[in-house]
Amino acid sequence: ALRQAFGSRVTLFEGALGESEGRTTFVWAQGTPEESGLKRRNYNDPANANPTEIEVTIGTLNGLGRDLGRCDFIKIDVEGAELTALRGGTELLRRLRPVVSVEFGRPAYSVYGHEAGELFDFAAEQG
């Protein structure tokens, strides 16, 4: 649908974002896809989640933005792995200085061992 609506004005990356490029296991919550992610979590509706592990390509924001001359805004909602995705984009963030919007939810972040202060610390490190 995005390709049909926007054509060559968008570039789609069908994969996960992380700190480094490669392949990884992704937990696809088939019945609650909004809770899918790089790690298994406590699902809001465990009876319907039906988590299944699949292999996916993992890319970085740095790699995706390597050829960009401009990036004004980045929105990331990756179910607790926001810091992981951002750490793979430090070059892009320093070079293009976009506004970044991320979601924070303690249950999802805790699966990755993160706390709210780490997101603030990361932002401060990036200036």
Side-chain angles (χ1 to χ4, degrees):
L2 288 171
R3 283 186 181 100
Q4 282 185 319
F6 297 102
S8 63
R9 294 180 303 185
V10 299
T11 301
L12 301 179
F13 171 74
E14 297 180 51
L17 284 177
E19 289 185 56
S20 58
E21 296 176 350
R23 303 266 311 154
T24 193
T25 301
F26 183 87
V27 183
W28 173 36
Q30 295 179 62
T32 57
E34 68 280 4
E35 295 181 304
S36 299
L38 295 173
K39 295 192 181 249
R40 213 170 267 271
R41 57 182 286 172
N42 292 324
Y43 300 99
N44 291 320
D45 186 0
N48 289 317
N50 191 20
T52 303
E53 291 186 0
I54 60 174
E55 288 289 313
V56 297
T57 299
I58 191 164
T60 64
L61 285 172
N62 287 336
L64 293 174
R66 189 168 285 122
D67 297 328
L68 291 179
R70 179 178 173 180
C71 178
D72 297 320
F73 182 78
I74 296 174
K75 166 69 169 101
I76 301 176
D77 180 358
V78 289
E79 298 307 308
E82 285 78 3
L83 275 169
T84 302
L86 287 168
R87 287 181 178 140
T90 55
E91 292 170 22
L92 178 144
L93 297 173
R94 287 188 186 121
R95 182 171 56 89
L96 300 177
R97 311 300 296 162
V99 171
V100 178
S101 172
V102 298
E103 180 179 88
F104 175 83
R106 190 172 312 279
Y109 265 50
S110 64
V111 170
Y112 292 85
H114 299 306
E115 296 181 7
E118 290 179 70
L119 187 58
F120 179 83
D121 292 343
F122 177 83
E125 289 167 10
Q126 303 313 305

